[in-house]
Amino acid sequence: MNTPISKSHIEKAHQLIASYIHRTPVLSSSSLNSKSGCTIYFKCENFQKAGAFKSRGASNALFHHLEEAFKLGVATHSSGNHAQALARVAAYAGVKAHIIMPDNSNPLKVAAVKEYGGLITFCKPTLQSREETLKEIITQTGAIEIHPYNNAHVIAGQATAARELLEKIPTPDIVIAPVGGGGLLSGTALACHYFSPDTKVFAAEPIQANDAWQSFKSKKFVPSINPDTIADGLRTSLGSTTFPIILEHVNEILTVSEQGIINAMKMIWLRMKIIVEPSSAVVLSAILEHPEYFKGKTIGAILSGGNADINKLPWNEH
Amino acid sequence: MNTPISKSHIEKAHQLIASYIHRTPVLSSSSLNSKSGCTIYFKCENFQKAGAFKSRGASNALFHHLEEAFKLGVATHSSGNHAQALARVAAYAGVKAHIIMPDNSNPLKVAAVKEYGGLITFCKPTLQSREETLKEIITQTGAIEIHPYNNAHVIAGQATAARELLEKIPTPDIVIAPVGGGGLLSGTALACHYFSPDTKVFAAEPIQANDAWQSFKSKKFVPSINPDTIADGLRTSLGSTTFPIILEHVNEILTVSEQGIINAMKMIWLRMKIIVEPSSAVVLSAILEHPEYFKGKTIGAILSGGNADINKLPWNEH
């Protein structure tokens, strides 16, 4: 689906999903501001339904196809948060959700999908295995595919997080979001483009999964091949819908180290008393590792999710 | 100091400290509501300045004595959160803060007091040693004692947390707070008495530190003698100012198990994505261990602080 996403597409998405999502708070921390030398407003999607921004896109896509979905079910592949989000909203709507998950997914996320009543099929942790397994399930069931990011309705849904942020903090100098498959980033970029055109859009990506950075710099799609990063939500490749939006509307992608992600995550836990997962912490990590872009500026930073495994904290590993 | 605390004392405290504290959010969780069978509004003092409600009382007491404090300094004994709170507001006001801490205090809390510039003297983890050491320091310096709970200004300050809760949720059936020395509980009880007289006031206490429960039931002061509980903020005895207020205005004290505290803490982390310390989790633990008091009711629950040691989580210990 290559339809460009309009301003009214985002506004309508926001109306459609309003009753199924949280309008999450925007928090700031004086100690993180003083540490970073800028003023950061964190959009807390870690408090979102099912623990991540993914509930926005999944809800918008599902309700766009509600009648068909009700008959045939929905299906997707996801390493975790989109899976939970789709399973949750599907259960809410009385729709069957077929979820393909890589067999190295975070056990907490697998358990949550099961709790929401999602029907899980495990696959190998490669894009090829995920896509093939999904295809099989769709052939068997006729379920409607709701791709985790390469889908205009999903992108329009994800855009509503930045839209809410801009309603509270109208013209930040920079908005920064993590980038994995690019659903959140392309939605964020479009929301800034339509609702605060002077705001620059930055992305943060683990240097050990820097396919988006490579794609962005070379302007040619570079796939993500089994990357090794703690930020488990950011291991996927860009999509054919998200990549062109990113090329057009994103100003810069900044890469961050694994240790930087862990430090930033710990800092957010300690200073803000909120739980974020590693994929969220990349935004603070980028601000701290690349201060030249941020000093003295007003920043909107999207904390994408809170589904961390609290039985296994990265700062306790040896 | 045995002055009773009036409604206007609490209102004035609220005005006096307004610029030095956060008006903390009130959060709820649909999954915890469905698990508990009641509607719980959590007053999130874990997001308070210095990580706990203690900033309210410490600020109110310090600003009541500002001129003297400026000359002679302030002094207190505290196992942690009051220490941090007093050190923080003292640094803000340019006042020296002498802090007596038991030598088994949470290392995170000791480090935070140092970071705020507090002057620490360690003592043995007994009430006697705390009081003797404090007396020595006061004799040496002339510093004004700001007791962590047995002080009318401190109690009036702590009362502002429940007052804010009642501004958002006007007439809950029950408000529940943890009880250690009774500063938060007596303040909470007075705030309910003045601002929502039909609301019942409950306290939650670890069964392994049940001195307040014993005192309440026998109507005679029972001291806390080296109790062994994970809820490190609740190891202290009631005071001569807090106990009579509790006897008069608290409806019930409920005790909870150590495992119940750990389970409740984990549940709050997982479901609400916020970090609370064990002393906060006792309120949810009481609701879950004593459902007969709470089913179907609207509850205000005060989450007292967020200074958990994230290097050492109780559910990871064997």
Side-chain angles (χ1 to χ4, degrees):
Chain A
M1 198 169 182
N2 265 303
T3 334
I5 295 138
S6 67
K7 186 174 183 177
S8 89
H9 196 162
I10 297 171
E11 288 166 336
K12 281 182 191 156
H14 213 180
Q15 287 170 352
L16 187 63
I17 67 178
S19 346
Y20 309 100
I21 61 157
H22 282 310
R23 183 170 277 263
T24 55
V26 174
L27 300 180
S28 59
S29 155
S30 50
S31 76
L32 292 184
N33 286 346
S34 102
K35 188 160 184 68
S36 64
C38 51
T39 306
I40 312 173
Y41 294 97
F42 292 98
K43 175 67 172 167
C44 291
E45 289 295 294
N46 56 321
F47 293 150
Q48 189 49 266
K49 291 277 186 192
F53 73 94
K54 298 274 187 179
S55 277
R56 298 175 180 270
S59 302
N60 192 45
L62 185 135
F63 287 108
H64 262 284
H65 299 290
L66 188 57
E67 271 188 53
E68 265 178 289
F70 194 71
K71 283 183 223 148
L72 302 167
V74 291
T76 196
H77 65 79
S78 161
S79 62
N81 281 338
H82 176 65
Q84 287 185 61
L86 187 62
R88 188 194 72 89
V89 70
Y92 193 92
V95 163
K96 267 190 196 167
H98 303 277
I99 313 286
I100 319 304
M101 298 186 84
D103 54 19
N104 66 346
S105 300
N106 179 331
L108 205 80
K109 296 184 179 183
V110 174
V113 170
K114 281 188 189 156
E115 216 174 287
Y116 289 125
L119 307 163
I120 300 177
T121 307
F122 287 103
C123 67
K124 288 183 196 149
T126 63
L127 185 61
Q128 194 190 352
S129 170
R130 287 161 72 138
E131 286 181 345
E132 281 173 10
T133 314
L134 178 60
K135 214 170 189 175
E136 278 168 35
I137 294 286
I138 288 175
T139 308
Q140 286 165 28
T141 61
I144 296 155
E145 181 183 352
I146 297 189
H147 192 278
Y149 50 86
N150 210 37
N151 172 311
H153 297 310
V154 169
I155 295 169
Q158 318 306 29
T160 62
R163 189 191 187 214
E164 287 177 12
L165 174 62
L166 294 169
E167 281 171 1
K168 282 225 170 180
I169 313 297
T171 51
D173 297 310
I174 297 169
V175 167
I176 183 164
V179 58
L184 178 63
L185 178 59
S186 58
T188 300
L190 290 171
C192 290
H193 173 64
Y194 293 129
F195 302 107
S196 179
D198 291 338
T199 294
K200 289 191 173 165
V201 178
F202 280 46
E205 188 178 42
I207 198 160
Q208 291 185 197
N210 70 349
D211 58 291
W213 178 84
Q214 289 185 53
S215 303
F216 184 75
K217 292 296 177 186
S218 67
K219 296 190 175 26
K220 278 180 197 155
F221 173 73
V222 177
S224 173
I225 298 164
N226 303 331
D228 177 24
T229 173
I230 190 179
D232 59 337
L234 308 180
R235 291 179 190 146
T236 42
S237 302
L238 294 176
S240 56
T241 307
T242 57
F243 184 34
I245 299 171
I246 289 168
L247 270 186
E248 189 174 349
H249 296 290
V250 170
N251 297 87
E252 189 58 270
I253 297 182
L254 300 173
T255 56
V256 298
S257 67
E258 293 296 297
Q259 193 55 50
I261 298 171
I262 293 168
N263 293 347
M265 178 173 164
K266 191 170 181 183
M267 228 177 272
I268 292 169
W269 285 44
L270 274 180
R271 300 297 178 170
M272 299 181 69
K273 310 296 181 193
I274 64 175
I275 291 176
V276 295
E277 58 187 82
S279 303
S280 293
V282 296
V283 294
L284 177 61
S285 186
I287 293 169
L288 296 174
E289 290 188 42
H290 302 276
E292 64 277 18
Y293 293 99
F294 301 100
K295 285 270 177 207
K297 303 260 167 76
T298 299
I299 320 293
I302 300 185
L303 295 176
S304 49
N307 295 323
D309 184 350
I310 65 170
N311 294 314
K312 204 181 155 196
L313 297 175
W315 45 83
N316 286 335
E317 312 218 328
H318 303 288
Chain B
M1 200 164 181
N2 266 302
T3 335
I5 295 139
S6 67
K7 187 174 184 177
S8 88
H9 195 163
I10 297 171
E11 289 166 337
K12 281 182 191 157
H14 213 177
Q15 288 170 353
L16 188 62
I17 67 178
S19 347
Y20 309 100
I21 61 157
H22 282 311
R23 183 170 277 263
T24 56
V26 174
L27 300 180
S28 58
S29 155
S30 50
S31 78
L32 292 184
N33 286 346
S34 104
K35 187 159 184 68
S36 64
C38 51
T39 306
I40 313 173
Y41 294 97
F42 292 98
K43 175 67 173 168
C44 290
E45 290 294 296
N46 57 322
F47 293 150
Q48 189 49 266
K49 291 277 185 191
F53 73 94
K54 297 275 186 178
S55 278
R56 297 175 182 271
S59 302
N60 193 44
L62 186 134
F63 286 109
H64 263 284
H65 298 291
L66 188 57
E67 271 189 52
E68 265 178 289
F70 195 71
K71 283 182 222 150
L72 302 166
V74 291
T76 196
H77 65 79
S78 162
S79 63
N81 282 337
H82 176 64
Q84 287 185 60
L86 187 61
R88 187 194 72 89
V89 70
Y92 192 91
V95 162
K96 267 189 194 166
H98 303 276
I99 313 286
I100 319 303
M101 298 188 83
D103 54 20
N104 66 346
S105 299
N106 180 330
L108 205 80
K109 296 184 179 183
V110 174
V113 170
K114 281 188 190 157
E115 215 174 287
Y116 289 126
L119 305 163
I120 301 177
T121 306
F122 288 103
C123 66
K124 288 183 197 148
T126 65
L127 185 60
Q128 195 191 351
S129 170
R130 288 161 72 139
E131 288 181 344
E132 282 172 8
T133 315
L134 177 60
K135 214 169 188 176
E136 279 167 36
I137 294 285
I138 288 176
T139 307
Q140 286 166 27
T141 61
I144 296 155
E145 181 182 352
I146 297 188
H147 192 279
Y149 49 88
N150 209 37
N151 172 311
H153 297 309
V154 169
I155 294 169
Q158 319 305 28
T160 62
R163 191 193 184 211
E164 287 177 12
L165 174 62
L166 294 169
E167 280 171 3
K168 282 226 169 178
I169 312 299
T171 51
D173 297 310
I174 296 169
V175 167
I176 183 165
V179 58
L184 178 64
L185 178 59
S186 58
T188 300
L190 290 172
C192 291
H193 173 64
Y194 293 129
F195 302 107
S196 180
D198 291 339
T199 295
K200 287 191 175 165
V201 178
F202 280 44
E205 187 178 42
I207 198 160
Q208 292 186 196
N210 71 349
D211 58 290
W213 178 85
Q214 288 185 54
S215 303
F216 184 75
K217 292 296 177 187
S218 67
K219 298 193 177 19
K220 278 180 196 154
F221 172 73
V222 176
S224 173
I225 299 165
N226 304 330
D228 178 25
T229 172
I230 190 179
D232 60 338
L234 308 181
R235 292 178 189 146
T236 42
S237 302
L238 295 176
S240 56
T241 307
T242 57
F243 184 34
I245 299 170
I246 290 168
L247 270 185
E248 189 174 348
H249 295 291
V250 170
N251 297 87
E252 189 60 270
I253 297 181
L254 301 172
T255 56
V256 299
S257 67
E258 294 296 299
Q259 194 56 51
I261 297 171
I262 294 168
N263 293 348
M265 179 173 162
K266 192 171 181 182
M267 228 176 270
I268 292 169
W269 285 43
L270 274 179
R271 299 299 178 169
M272 299 181 68
K273 310 295 181 194
I274 64 174
I275 291 177
V276 295
E277 58 187 80
S279 303
S280 293
V282 295
V283 294
L284 177 61
S285 185
I287 293 169
L288 296 173
E289 290 188 41
H290 303 276
E292 65 277 19
Y293 293 97
F294 301 99
K295 286 268 178 210
K297 303 261 167 76
T298 299
I299 320 292
I302 300 185
L303 294 176
S304 50
N307 295 322
D309 184 349
I310 65 171
N311 294 313
K312 201 180 156 196
L313 297 176
W315 44 83
N316 285 337
E317 313 217 330
H318 303 287

